[in-house]
Amino acid sequence: MNVCSCVYVIDKIMEVDRIKLEKAAYLLKALAHETRLCVLKHLSQTKEKSVSDLMEEVGCEQSLLSHHLTDLRAKGILNSRREGQRNLYSINNEEIIPLLECIFNYCK
Amino acid sequence: MNVCSCVYVIDKIMEVDRIKLEKAAYLLKALAHETRLCVLKHLSQTKEKSVSDLMEEVGCEQSLLSHHLTDLRAKGILNSRREGQRNLYSINNEEIIPLLECIFNYCK
DNA sequence: TAGACACATGAACATACATTCATATGTAAT
DNA sequence: ATTACATATGAATGTATGTTCATGTGTCTA
């Protein structure tokens, strides 16, 4: 392996790291809010929940909650589907549940 | 147990939850930045590092990095001690390392 | 004790995020 | 078709966060 390809490999490694850090920062920003964490906590216990269910459980006003939910959905953390008048939200990727557990566990 | 003490217990549970959510949100906000994650990643590999070491490794300008470090220290995530002219930073509570691993692992 | 080095600090500014309010949309029931 | 219900959306505003720049502080060396 010559000097050039070495540099290339190092660049690639650095790049992968940078991308991972970026992703992690993006994810953490998405999670870093009491209301959103509360939503996720509730949704990790039950499959899906309507906005009104969450409003009660989370104790958050309709519009504000909706903004948070839209946000979490846009960022790929939640899913939603309609059922009649209601909009049911659920966790998109279950792998986030152990991560949440890990976070809450750290915050003893 | 009468109604009153039941309500009291429920309040207590809710309170604990709310506090945990608050703590978690606070922690995640502290972590949710590429530069800060990068610092933590480097510090979880080596015991301590000076600001200049971190400047190079993280690729961040002196003053800005210093602000981030001060911040992380104020929030109890990092420690620092002087050694001559240098200021050595380290991770305050090692329990954060598996948490970071968990986060990076999720961000595959 | 003067200069260099390593780092911290504070004010000013820029950018992003959270919240509120008014209103729109989509579905269901009458 | 009209009304009510569940939710989404957008603009306006407030608040927090990140960044830069100029300068301050502590320590070492000559």
Side-chain angles (χ1 to χ4, degrees), chain B residues 21-32:
Chain B
L21 286 171
E22 242 175 61
K23 279 190 193 173
Y26 184 81
L27 170 73
L28 294 182
K29 269 176 211 168
L31 302 183

Side-chain angles (χ1 to χ4, degrees), chain B residues 16-47:
Chain B
V16 167
D17 275 3
R18 231 206 61 236
I19 288 174
K20 215 172 197 187
L21 286 171
E22 242 175 61
K23 279 190 193 173
Y26 184 81
L27 170 73
L28 294 182
K29 269 176 211 168
L31 302 183
H33 194 285
E34 227 184 303
T35 301
R36 294 192 296 264
L37 285 174
C38 195
V39 164
L40 290 167
K41 193 180 143 269
H42 282 279
L43 287 177
S44 51
Q45 283 156 6
T46 318
K47 195 121 208 86

Side-chain angles (χ1 to χ4, degrees), chain A residues 38-54:
Chain A
C38 195
V39 164
L40 290 167
K41 192 179 143 270
H42 281 279
L43 288 177
S44 50
Q45 283 155 7
T46 318
K47 197 119 208 89
E48 3 173 60
K49 277 180 187 293
S50 69
V51 178
S52 359
D53 290 345
L54 288 168

Side-chain angles (χ1 to χ4, degrees), chain B residues 51-52 62-63 66-67 85 87 89:
Chain B
V51 178
S52 359
Q62 187 275 314
S63 166
S66 184
H67 278 297
Q85 293 170 307
N87 223 337
Y89 280 86

